Amino acid sequence: MATATVARHGLAHFMDLELIKNSIAAQPVSRRQSLHLFNHRYYYHKPCPVVASMNGCQGNSRDRVPIGSIETRTFPAVQSPALATATLNLAISELKANPPLFSSGILRLQVPIQEQIEAIDWLHCQHQILPRCYFSGRRQSKDFTEVTNGNGYQNYNNLISVAGVGSAVLFRNVHPFQYNDWKSIKRFLSASCPLIRAYGAIRFDARANISSEWEAFGSFYFIIPQVELDELDGCSMLATTIAWDNALSWTWEQAVDAVEATMTQISSNVKKLSKEVTRSFIIRNSHTPCKMHWDLAVERALQIISRSSSPLIKVVLARSSKIVTANDINPISWLAYLQVKGENAYQFCLQPPNAPAFIGNTPEQLYHRKFLGISSEAIAGTRARGGSMALDLQLQLDLLSSPKDHLEFTIVRENIRKKLEAVCDRIVVEPNKTIRKLPILQHLYARLAGELRSEDDEFNILSSLHPTPAVCGFPTEEARLLITESEVFDRGMYAGPVGWFGGGESEFAVGIRSALVEKGLGALIYAGTGIVKGSNPSLEWDELELKTSQFTKLLKLEDPSRQK
């Protein structure tokens, strides 16, 4: 929705997180507030071919028509999650007596909390409320959210991570993500309410058939959470979001009832989640493709690359590893452990109702946009970290001097540069090539930045940057066709964009180093590697093993009964 439209209605409430943070200690709880409980009800999102829906309801949404109001209301800071929950319940109850005048809108109610609560701890305590989502920015590259107090004064506060449950609005479809889908999401967002965001992911290849394990995600899946915990630098924020639209057959009264139902399930007793995962024995472990078929696929790709008549320079082949364990794998516990090891990486979780959880710990940024400013990153080439400083430096120099890895990296960097040049006035590449070190891996790396000519160019950037040569190959279409012919499993959201859209800001990572985790069914772990001239099938297989090790090292390789 355009900022001018919001201002015209005069309905946008502004907040200043810095002022809240500085005054938290001085703000007493003005009155004792009681917790309001309501009838326990479940609202499931039924898979359906509509672009936007609200708790399963659908209608003839006019994507280009602005919704009636977008508003954020901030309440005084409190000392605990329990008091924040009580404040929100009271506010929701009072809203029922004062319905809005508009036939559509979105309202965020938020309560600052004095203590810094880790969003992943809060999410773990929500007892499987679905859908749920989680997104954590890279700890070393500040994920700043811009906020204004209505007087033109801007502050920056470090938003570390966000956990959400339920959905105020769901965006899902089986057709490829298109411009109208993007506009449908943006319709509910405003730069004046920067913390109203749509979190989700897009398939790697929307033209490929969707397998059963990915069916609930559709071709793309985004939610604006009903209830969320924002982990900030030094404090926290508990929020609820109420969205309604008569055109989608979802009234204000229904929206308030749905939020009340979700709030009755919210646990205010947040316990610290152990970052040590209880190891589970692997009962079965299988790869698709197996090592023999992998070697054949790589050799075939190399033959095509070597043909003078073929334009193909690089293709990224992937593997799906099925892990069945003696005990259920808790996806949030896995993610918490990955977060400890995930310095300078994104962590994410997305789980629709009646579906597995898609989790990941990815170092790769697809893009970050703040108003017209946009940046992206090129990452390619992989080496392990050394056990000593000398060995680590040796592996780094080997990566920097490798012709094969230099070729792979150059393809990725120049492709991203070309895509940005199509919609940006000037592109800066700095550094041109360096090493990015992660806890167990190191990669070749470059950062690219530019300025969009229009915010509408964001959709063009998203659709053109994905898939990058780092996860698909080059040229893109030739590589995609070879992947379709070679791989016999569905990548789903693996290697696709995963992140969030906001009113004045958006950020997406590439969904690599990821897995699907489901109770009773174990996990599907995904990894890929770039094949270029000079690649060796066995060495590329070893790279797959290295990339999946962050998951598999949490498990024991053999059942004691089998050893006996």
Side-chain angles (χ1 to χ4, degrees):
M1 179 176 179
T3 305
T5 305
V6 180
R8 185 168 62 249
H9 287 299
L11 290 167
H13 283 220
F14 300 95
M15 56 168 288
D16 186 339
L17 289 180
E18 187 65 33
L19 292 177
I20 289 170
K21 180 180 174 183
N22 292 337
S23 62
I24 274 176
Q27 291 186 353
V29 179
S30 59
R31 57 179 175 173
R32 191 167 186 84
Q33 296 157 319
S34 60
L35 182 66
H36 290 240
L37 298 178
F38 300 88
N39 292 332
H40 190 88
R41 277 182 283 175
Y42 291 94
Y43 291 84
Y44 290 116
H45 296 285
K46 302 173 184 177
C48 54
V50 312
V51 173
S53 67
M54 296 179 174
N55 289 279
C57 292
Q58 62 187 62
N60 297 317
S61 174
R62 302 177 301 280
D63 296 338
R64 297 179 183 274
V65 177
I67 60 174
S69 67
I70 299 181
E71 182 182 356
T72 294
R73 297 181 188 176
T74 304
F75 296 89
V78 298
Q79 297 176 342
S80 68
L83 287 173
T85 303
T87 300
L88 291 174
N89 277 324
L90 182 62
I92 293 168
S93 179
E94 292 174 349
L95 281 173
K96 298 186 75 172
N98 299 284
L101 301 176
F102 299 95
S103 62
S104 64
I106 187 165
L107 170 64
R108 175 183 164 100
L109 309 174
Q110 56 189 24
V111 183
I113 303 172
Q114 290 179 344
E115 62 176 311
Q116 181 175 343
I117 300 167
E118 290 191 39
I120 201 162
D121 292 342
W122 180 85
L123 185 62
H124 185 257
C125 294
Q126 299 317 312
H127 306 298
Q128 301 293 323
I129 303 175
L130 298 177
R132 59 183 173 180
C133 64
Y134 177 85
F135 190 85
S136 177
R138 294 182 298 197
R139 298 299 174 107
Q140 287 189 348
S141 58
K142 301 290 187 181
D143 176 17
F144 287 109
T145 297
E146 185 170 26
V147 186
T148 170
N149 64 3
N151 298 318
Y153 176 75
Q154 295 175 340
N155 271 315
Y156 296 88
N157 232 303
N158 189 14
L159 179 60
I160 296 172
S161 58
V162 175
V165 296
S167 68
V169 194
L170 163 70
F171 307 91
R172 177 192 178 275
N173 211 311
V174 295
H175 70 57
F177 190 68
Q178 298 170 351
Y179 179 77
N180 284 340
D181 302 319
W182 177 72
K183 293 294 287 186
S184 180
I185 295 173
K186 298 289 283 186
R187 180 171 174 258
F188 288 87
L189 309 176
S190 170
S192 60
C193 298
L195 294 180
I196 298 178
R197 297 172 169 181
Y199 296 90
I202 301 172
R203 278 177 65 83
F204 169 77
D205 186 356
R207 288 169 285 186
N209 292 330
I210 301 177
S211 59
S212 58
E213 67 269 19
W214 289 106
E215 186 175 1
F217 293 84
S219 181
F220 59 88
Y221 187 95
F222 287 90
I223 61 170
I224 298 176
Q226 274 183 325
V227 184
E228 69 179 65
L229 190 285
D230 301 333
E231 179 187 350
L232 301 162
D233 188 7
C235 57
S236 309
M237 186 93 70
L238 186 67
T240 63
T241 300
I242 304 168
W244 70 100
D245 189 346
N246 293 347
L248 290 170
S249 302
W250 189 246
T251 65
W252 162 261
E253 290 77 13
Q254 289 172 305
V256 173
D257 286 346
V259 169
E260 282 184 337
T262 300
M263 288 295 292
T264 64
Q265 303 174 64
I266 296 298
S267 172
S268 298
N269 184 22
V270 181
K271 298 179 181 179
K272 193 71 176 175
L273 179 60
S274 173
K275 300 301 190 290
E276 293 297 325
V277 176
T278 303
R279 292 177 179 251
S280 179
F281 290 104
I282 296 177
I283 298 174
R284 290 191 301 278
N285 181 11
S286 59
H287 303 300
T288 304
C290 64
K291 178 63 166 61
M292 181 181 69
H293 290 159
W294 169 264
D295 289 350
L296 293 173
V298 173
E299 291 291 356
R300 179 170 177 263
L302 289 172
Q303 290 174 5
I304 295 173
I305 290 171
S306 64
R307 293 174 189 165
S308 58
S309 60
S310 173
L312 189 66
I313 299 174
K314 173 186 176 180
V315 63
V316 179
L317 298 181
R319 185 185 76 182
S320 169
S321 299
K322 175 70 174 178
I323 306 293
V324 179
T325 56
N327 301 312
D328 287 335
I329 299 171
N330 186 320
I332 306 302
S333 297
W334 254 23
L335 193 60
Y337 179 84
L338 294 174
Q339 190 176 66
V340 172
K341 304 297 182 180
E343 186 177 288
N344 216 4
Y346 297 93
Q347 292 81 45
F348 61 85
C349 173
L350 186 66
Q351 187 172 15
N354 304 314
F358 179 46
I359 66 171
N361 180 55
T362 173
E364 189 167 338
Q365 180 189 84
L366 184 64
Y367 77 88
H368 175 238
R369 178 188 68 84
K370 194 169 187 73
F371 299 110
L372 293 180
I374 192 161
S375 62
S376 185
E377 295 175 348
I379 295 181
T382 303
R383 292 293 186 278
R385 295 297 304 274
S388 65
M389 186 179 296
L391 179 56
D392 197 53
L393 180 59
Q394 180 182 336
L395 290 167
Q396 172 184 318
L397 293 175
D398 179 61
L399 179 56
L400 283 169
S401 60
S402 165
K404 179 258 183 187
D405 291 293
H406 177 75
L407 171 62
E408 185 179 347
F409 173 74
T410 302
I411 291 169
V412 173
R413 185 190 61 205
E414 295 310 304
N415 181 267
I416 294 174
R417 185 207 300 264
K418 182 179 178 182
K419 298 293 177 59
L420 290 176
E421 285 175 344
V423 292
C424 295
D425 290 326
R426 187 172 67 95
I427 303 300
V428 176
V429 183
E430 188 178 341
N432 198 50
K433 183 173 102 170
T434 189
I435 293 288
R436 164 161 283 181
K437 291 184 180 289
L438 303 171
I440 64 172
L441 299 173
Q442 49 188 325
H443 306 280
L444 296 174
Y445 167 83
R447 183 178 183 274
L448 303 90
E451 186 166 329
L452 296 173
R453 300 185 186 101
S454 165
E455 282 200 18
D456 275 0
D457 288 331
E458 179 182 25
F459 174 78
N460 295 328
I461 282 293
L462 176 60
S463 58
S464 64
L465 281 181
H466 172 72
T468 69
V471 295
C472 181
F474 186 80
T476 302
E477 187 57 21
E478 284 78 1
R480 188 194 69 81
L481 289 173
L482 183 55
I483 289 169
T484 301
E485 294 172 4
S486 303
E487 294 180 359
V488 294
F489 66 93
D490 179 15
R491 289 193 181 192
M493 268 63 180
Y494 161 72
V498 56
W500 52 272
F501 291 112
E505 186 177 8
S506 305
E507 184 165 21
F508 280 84
V510 181
I512 56 174
R513 318 291 159 82
S514 55
L516 268 184
V517 184
E518 185 168 15
K519 184 177 180 180
L521 296 178
L524 287 169
I525 305 173
Y526 302 92
T529 181
I531 309 302
V532 297
K533 185 178 180 181
S535 293
N536 179 285
S538 293
L539 293 179
E540 302 301 339
W541 182 269
D542 292 342
E543 184 172 319
L544 296 177
E545 293 287 289
L546 185 62
K547 288 177 176 176
T548 58
S549 65
Q550 63 176 327
F551 289 100
T552 57
K553 69 182 179 182
L554 305 179
L555 306 170
K556 295 183 179 179
L557 298 180
E558 199 169 4
D559 192 308
S561 62
R562 293 191 176 191
Q563 290 180 343
K564 186 175 180 180

